[in-house]
């Protein structure tokens, strides 16, 4: 079952993908006609690299540190005809006081999170070296409040020891019980080594099409 959806997801994500829009406001978004799965995380967490690894493209998502792009929702339609949209959310939490940043991030995306009926899931990216920080916790609280289903995705696992990844993946679910909208399974990925990308692709497709993955 999982293998079948991984194969289906591989075909889909490595097939046609087009940039749809960079939307500064809700009004500028395309109609909610397709399921959307959004990617969020601190600046530099590896979000662009992960989107590129998912779709096996080098330049689908440009690095989000480019000034002017930070407060935009970048959307990509996957499949021809399109089956779902991937949403690259603005990176948060870089160099400024967490609270202020969370406020800015909230303003930019809270309307989207709260008011987008076709948003199926948010993938919250966490750098394996840093773990969940206070700013991430704040974003998790925003997602819990908005009742948006989300899943933690560890990035850059090649930068830490495998035993550390195992520890995070096994110990984090218990800590997530205080977050009602969080999925219990934590995904571990390395865009560099391509580890965990198949499972992530399957998780995105399953979320978009209202399917459940077998536990790993
Ligand atoms: P973004 O700001 O979240 O979009 O992050 P980027 O994708 O631009 O990545 C930030 C930095 O982390 C870049 O220097 C990437 O080369 C590096 N990076 C991203 N993913 C990985 C990974 O899986 N492994 C390693 N070792 N480095 C990564």
């Amino acid at each position: 079952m999982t293998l079948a959806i991984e194969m289906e997801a591989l075909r889909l994500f490595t097939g046609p993908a087009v940039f749809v829009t960079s939307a500064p406001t809700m009004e500028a978004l395309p109609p909610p006609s397709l399921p959307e799965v959004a990617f969020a995380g601190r600046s530099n967490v590896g979000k662009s690299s992960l989107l590129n690894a998912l779709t096996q493209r080098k330049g689908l998502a440009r690095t989000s540190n480019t000034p002017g792009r930070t407060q935009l929702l970048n959307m990509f339609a996957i499949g021809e005809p399109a089956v779902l949209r991937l949403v690259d959310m603005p990176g948060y939490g870089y160099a400024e006081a967490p609270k202020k940043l969370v406020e800015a991030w909230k303003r930019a995306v809270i309307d989207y999170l709260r008011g987008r009926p076709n948003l199926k899931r948010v993938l919250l990216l966490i750098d394996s070296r840093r773990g969940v920080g206070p700013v991430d916790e704040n974003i998790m609280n925003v997602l819990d409040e908005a009742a948006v289903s989300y899943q933690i995705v560890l990035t850059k696992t090649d930068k830490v020891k495998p035993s550390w990844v195992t520890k995070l993946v096994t110990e984090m679910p218990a800590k997530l019980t205080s977050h009602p909208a969080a999925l219990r399974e934590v995904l571990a990925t390395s865009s560099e080594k391509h580890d965990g990308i198949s499972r992530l692709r399957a998780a995105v497709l399953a979320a978009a099409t209202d399917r459940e993955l077998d536990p790993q």
Side-chain angles (χ1 to χ4, degrees):
M1 169 65 188
T2 302
L3 188 62
I5 195 167
E6 284 186 9
M7 299 287 285
E8 182 186 340
L10 177 67
R11 266 197 305 277
L12 178 66
F13 285 102
T14 58
V18 290
F19 173 74
V20 180
T21 189
S22 264
T25 62
M26 278 290 278
E27 291 73 44
L29 293 176
S33 51
L34 286 170
E36 288 168 358
V37 176
F39 290 71
R42 292 177 66 105
S43 304
N44 219 38
V45 72
K47 186 155 50 68
S48 313
S49 305
L50 199 64
L51 284 164
N52 290 335
L54 269 186
T55 53
Q56 287 187 6
R57 282 167 175 78
K58 284 207 164 66
L60 183 82
R62 282 178 275 159
T63 49
S64 54
N65 297 339
T66 315
R69 285 174 68 88
T70 47
Q71 298 306 321
L72 300 173
L73 295 164
N74 296 309
M75 294 202 169
F76 307 93
I78 306 296
E80 179 53 60
V83 171
L84 58 93
R85 294 189 195 114
L86 300 179
V87 184
D88 183 2
M89 303 194 81
Y92 56 79
Y94 209 45
E96 287 175 55
K99 206 159 180 191
K100 196 173 155 205
L101 269 159
V102 171
E103 285 308 313
W105 193 84
K106 263 186 172 174
R107 270 195 304 279
V109 299
I110 199 117
D111 287 353
Y112 173 77
L113 293 175
R114 289 227 173 107
R116 192 74 171 161
N118 53 329
L119 174 60
K120 296 288 188 172
R121 184 153 302 153
V122 172
L123 296 172
L124 185 61
L125 276 44
I126 301 289
D127 191 320
S128 302
R129 295 168 300 181
R130 304 178 69 116
V132 176
V135 193
D136 304 304
E137 282 279 356
N138 285 332
I139 301 305
M140 289 162 75
N141 293 335
V142 171
L143 293 166
D144 288 324
E145 274 170 40
V148 175
S149 162
Y150 62 98
Q151 183 164 27
I152 303 279
V153 178
L154 300 171
T155 62
K156 310 188 191 179
T157 54
D158 60 288
K159 294 253 198 184
V160 295
K161 286 190 187 144
S163 58
W164 178 247
V165 178
T166 306
K167 185 177 155 66
L168 289 177
V169 167
T170 50
E171 290 181 3
M172 281 177 86
K175 293 183 188 147
L176 290 170
T177 49
S178 59
H179 291 283
L183 266 68
R184 294 291 167 266
E185 183 188 2
V186 172
L187 299 174
T189 65
S190 162
S191 302
E192 186 94 359
K193 302 277 182 232
H194 236 75
D195 289 339
I197 302 298
S198 285
R199 178 81 180 168
L200 176 63
R201 263 192 214 110
V204 172
L205 180 58
T209 53
D210 297 319
R211 284 181 274 176
E212 273 189 33
L213 286 185
D214 295 334
Q216 251 187 343

